[in-house]
Amino acid sequence: MARHLHLGAFIRPISIHTGAWRYPGAYADANFNLAHMRRFARALEAGKFDALFMADHLAVLNMPIEALKRSQTPTSFEPFTLLSALAMVTERIGLVATASTTFDEPFHIARRFASLDHLSAGRAGWNVVTTSNPDAALNFGREDHMEHGDRYRRAREFISVVKGLWDSWADDAFIRDQASGVFFDPERLHVLAHRGEFLSVRGPLNIARPPQGWPVIVQAGASEPGRQLAAESAEVVFAASSTLGDGKRFYADVKARMDVLGRPRDSLRILPGALVVVGETIEEARAKRDRLDSLVHYDSAVASLSIALGHDASGFDPDGPLPEIPDTNASKSGRQRVIDLAQREGLTVRQLAQRLGGYAGLAFVGTAQTIADEMEAWIDGEAADGFNVMFPYLPDGLDDVVHRVVPELQRRGRYRRDYEGTTLRDHLGLTRPANGFFAEGASA
Amino acid sequence: MARHLHLGAFIRPISIHTGAWRYPGAYADANFNLAHMRRFARALEAGKFDALFMADHLAVLNMPIEALKRSQTPTSFEPFTLLSALAMVTERIGLVATASTTFDEPFHIARRFASLDHLSAGRAGWNVVTTSNPDAALNFGREDHMEHGDRYRRAREFISVVKGLWDSWADDAFIRDQASGVFFDPERLHVLAHRGEFLSVRGPLNIARPPQGWPVIVQAGASEPGRQLAAESAEVVFAASSTLGDGKRFYADVKARMDVLGRPRDSLRILPGALVVVGETIEEARAKRDRLDSLVHYDSAVASLSIALGHDASGFDPDGPLPEIPDTNASKSGRQRVIDLAQREGLTVRQLAQRLGGYAGLAFVGTAQTIADEMEAWIDGEAADGFNVMFPYLPDGLDDVVHRVVPELQRRGRYRRDYEGTTLRDHLGLTRPANGFFAEGASA
């Protein structure tokens, strides 16, 4: 049987593409409108998506004000409040919130995810981030952003503390015997008493063990310590692979690290983020994407191009081809990718700049058939276990995926026609972890 | 016209009374069952309550394990996740979450309340606490609990930072002009750049200004610095006055402090917490309360009595009257209150201990008529602007208040028959604060 794939929906910003809110028919406030969010969540659930993935930022993005003022990203709902609300208007779809191990406390994080997991009857996931935006530190009383290696060591310890707190109570700790008056069995309560390099947390957590045991652990894991941490503890990786070749290398690398650690390969799903633009024909899909890119303001677009080239592009003829660029100290491989992209697609400087200023990562642009072909090639090529879908604009771009791509994948036997279970772990085919301190169902 | 009163419902623990979960017909898991919480919230909304008040604790309560294991308090939903969920199944009732200024960050708190306020269309309130339980410190990597005076100085600064963050964006900052591509007006964005004694927070907040301008600020404010902080910044005080006399003194003290500060008296509502037990007759109500008290285990009860007396009561005859107690170093006034209570109600040692171990604060125990009489006496005596109602057991104790006490108050012209507005500020008769950095509706 052909392998099924998993689909997540990346919903903050609701479209990764900076021109999305200006697209004809787009909801300009889609990123921050509860009625729209509810509609999107229900549409994705009708499309049997595994989960909503809500990214997060702990500061307004650090971009020049001229670019920022044209972006839909500055305001958004906060993830826990939004996903708790969406839990009440959906029944099956997983709800993945991003939370930072650098700027929050394990007791708060463990509690909030446990609460979301209870409220949603087992649909919570934690996208673990260490927060790369240095502006975030300034919102939390820190002059200096924590160094990358320290952030990852703290993240590793933080995850372990959170899991320990989730395991504070045995699944059967709460007796609630009205006759004897005993509410819980003290023998089924574990006090963590953690003292480590970065954290000191006593416990117990003041909430029962989550329905999933532990909410699903999600990570991005692109860097070297990120990959290692993902191999150790992630159950879903939201990958940034932008070509099939990159995807295969990343997939093989993370799964090989798991082999070394003795973790079963199928205890981790790798889902690259992918912008999906659907047309009746390939030409129509490409025209949609060109139109979308054309809505990125040239000032912000050319700033992105200059950064990618390591060379000021503001003097280039916007409507001419990309000129020769002298060597600089910028990343040669990054620059070469940009030059290759311009040549491959025959882009003018303006089109290239708008591509980079809009969204330049993995994209599937075509008909439902060609998109399904590409997705199958990634799955069968062991470059992905599915995708974290990004929508080009809302609501049409989302509806196109749900009403056209999903049915095509279902026809091919590649995607569920209905949810097989009720929890996010069920959707992802992940087992429920045993309590680290108490044997399942046994007495202490 | 007789003054209307305000009613809040104290929902964590769902009953303050430690015997509640054992009462005949009570839901033993009422404190931690979403279906029940939804039912309660809707019932309270049908009763036109101003708000749900959700207390919070950042540690399992520090009581001896023999008492703790008989308590329903160890586990609960986390406030922001629960109230966000309840926002989706209610339409008018206010949603007040407790959050600590000692163990959280102003950026997180400002954001989460703003998000809850947006999700609920203006129904959020923040119960500001400094967290008195020293066990909480151990869950947040601190060896020592912050000293009381420091906690209040930090709280004052914290509230001011949170308000400043809520005002990051003018109400009209978001233009979202699809034609020009300008999403927001940079002139309508304020960077707080706060540097104070305890906190350093740059801003701006990454969420639009809350619908209410600022979510409603709630405090308990019993101590000297607590009263002063309440007079400065609270809009609702959840008071702990246990007699009408205490209530009048507290009310007069806080309102006088407001006069000194130049704050209008009606910009603050004082709501003492009150357990309400309703019967067809006064005798039936008292019998319900006696039965409830009798469900408190004697071991925990006598421990509470010993603390209140400053004297070990475990050797006393449980079924005899309270014996003479020799003088100790314990609070004389506190001990005298206990002795007076035993004499006034003719309680045995067991009954007295169970009263103290169950709930010993302000209680209205009687018929709908006598309870309404007492509530009116508090309102007209300037001891309260309303009450934060605590239920003796669930669901019956809650339904009794909604179906019997509220209609009686409505018949007397003391309580709304329907909500006059849509926001929590509307319910409480509080004005929407202007943005501290931008004139209303004007351009910068």
Side-chain angles (χ1 to χ4, degrees), chain A residues 101-151:
Chain A
T101 56
T102 303
F103 298 110
D104 216 320
E105 294 278 348
F107 194 87
H108 286 315
I109 294 297
R111 227 185 139 201
R112 225 168 269 135
F113 277 109
S115 194
L116 179 62
D117 207 47
H118 281 286
L119 289 168
S120 64
R123 296 189 278 142
W126 173 22
N127 182 32
V128 182
V129 298
T130 67
T131 308
S132 57
N133 180 354
D135 283 3
L138 302 177
N139 288 330
F140 294 89
R142 317 237 184 113
E143 293 297 314
D144 299 310
H145 196 44
M146 195 181 285
E147 186 270 317
H148 190 265
D150 285 349
R151 292 211 312 272

Side-chain angles (χ1 to χ4, degrees), chain A residues 5-249:
Chain A
L5 56 85
H6 297 278
L7 293 180
F10 186 79
I11 66 152
R12 182 183 190 236
I14 193 76
S15 173
I16 196 86
H17 198 289
T18 52
W21 68 275
R22 299 182 65 195
Y23 198 85
Y27 298 153
D29 64 347
N31 208 39
F32 191 54
N33 176 310
L34 183 61
H36 293 338
M37 284 289 176
R38 181 200 309 235
R39 176 200 185 292
F40 300 150
R42 286 178 167 167
L44 292 164
E45 186 165 77
K48 313 303 175 192
F49 268 60
D50 291 71
L52 293 176
F53 282 72
M54 193 173 176
D56 196 35
H57 305 285
L58 295 176
V60 166
L61 293 183
N62 55 343
M63 50 171 88
I65 190 73
E66 283 301 307
L68 188 66
K69 79 176 189 186
R70 300 174 187 284
S71 159
Q72 66 176 315
T73 56
T75 62
S76 165
F77 297 106
E78 181 276 339
F80 287 101
T81 43
L82 177 64
L83 293 180
S84 300
L86 294 181
M88 301 298 274
V89 296
T90 55
E91 295 180 354
R92 287 288 178 272
I93 195 166
L95 304 163
V96 180
T98 297
S100 171
T101 56
T102 303
F103 298 110
D104 216 320
E105 294 278 348
F107 194 87
H108 286 315
I109 294 297
R111 227 185 139 201
R112 225 168 269 135
F113 277 109
S115 194
L116 179 62
D117 207 47
H118 281 286
L119 289 168
S120 64
R123 296 189 278 142
W126 173 22
N127 182 32
V128 182
V129 298
T130 67
T131 308
S132 57
N133 180 354
D135 283 3
L138 302 177
N139 288 330
F140 294 89
R142 317 237 184 113
E143 293 297 314
D144 299 310
H145 196 44
M146 195 181 285
E147 186 270 317
H148 190 265
D150 285 349
R151 292 211 312 272
Y152 272 89
R153 286 214 316 290
R154 179 179 158 102
R156 178 174 287 110
E157 185 180 341
F158 196 112
I159 293 169
S160 138
V161 170
V162 166
K163 288 176 176 175
L165 289 171
W166 282 334
D167 287 349
S168 292
W169 304 87
D171 290 318
D172 59 0
F174 296 95
I175 303 163
R176 300 192 187 94
D177 181 1
Q178 287 173 312
S180 71
V182 175
F183 197 83
F184 72 84
D185 177 358
E187 300 291 314
R188 309 295 284 164
L189 162 64
H190 179 82
V191 177
L192 186 64
H194 171 87
R195 284 180 180 276
E197 181 185 1
F198 294 93
L199 301 162
S200 168
V201 181
R202 193 178 70 166
L205 198 62
N206 53 355
I207 185 165
R209 192 161 191 257
Q212 294 186 103
W214 303 341
V216 174
I217 304 286
V218 182
Q219 284 166 50
S223 69
E224 168 63 32
R227 288 174 186 219
Q228 188 59 27
L229 186 63
E232 287 171 16
S233 58
E235 299 178 289
V236 173
V237 167
F238 178 14
S241 319
S242 59
T243 66
L244 183 57
D246 283 350
K248 286 182 181 182
R249 280 185 291 275

Side-chain angles (χ1 to χ4, degrees), chain A residues 21-22 26 56-57 69 74-75 78 81 103 108 111 115 135 138-139 141 174 178-179 183 200 202-203 206, chain B residues 21-22 26 56-57 69 74-75 78 81 103 108 111-112 115 135 138-139 141 174 178-179 183 200 202-203 206:
Chain A
W21 68 275
R22 299 182 65 195
D56 196 35
H57 305 285
K69 79 176 189 186
T75 62
E78 181 276 339
T81 43
F103 298 110
H108 286 315
R111 227 185 139 201
S115 194
D135 283 3
L138 302 177
N139 288 330
F174 296 95
Q178 287 173 312
F183 197 83
S200 168
R202 193 178 70 166
N206 53 355
Chain B
W21 69 274
R22 299 181 65 195
D56 196 36
H57 305 287
K69 80 177 188 186
T75 60
E78 180 277 337
T81 42
F103 298 110
H108 286 316
R111 227 185 137 200
R112 226 170 266 135
S115 194
D135 283 4
L138 302 176
N139 289 331
F174 296 95
Q178 288 174 312
F183 197 81
S200 168
R202 194 179 69 167
N206 53 356

Side-chain angles (χ1 to χ4, degrees), chain B residues 11-15 28-33 37 72-73 75-77:
Chain B
I11 65 153
R12 182 183 190 237
I14 193 78
S15 173
D29 63 348
N31 208 39
F32 192 54
N33 176 311
M37 284 289 175
Q72 65 176 315
T73 56
T75 60
S76 163
F77 297 106

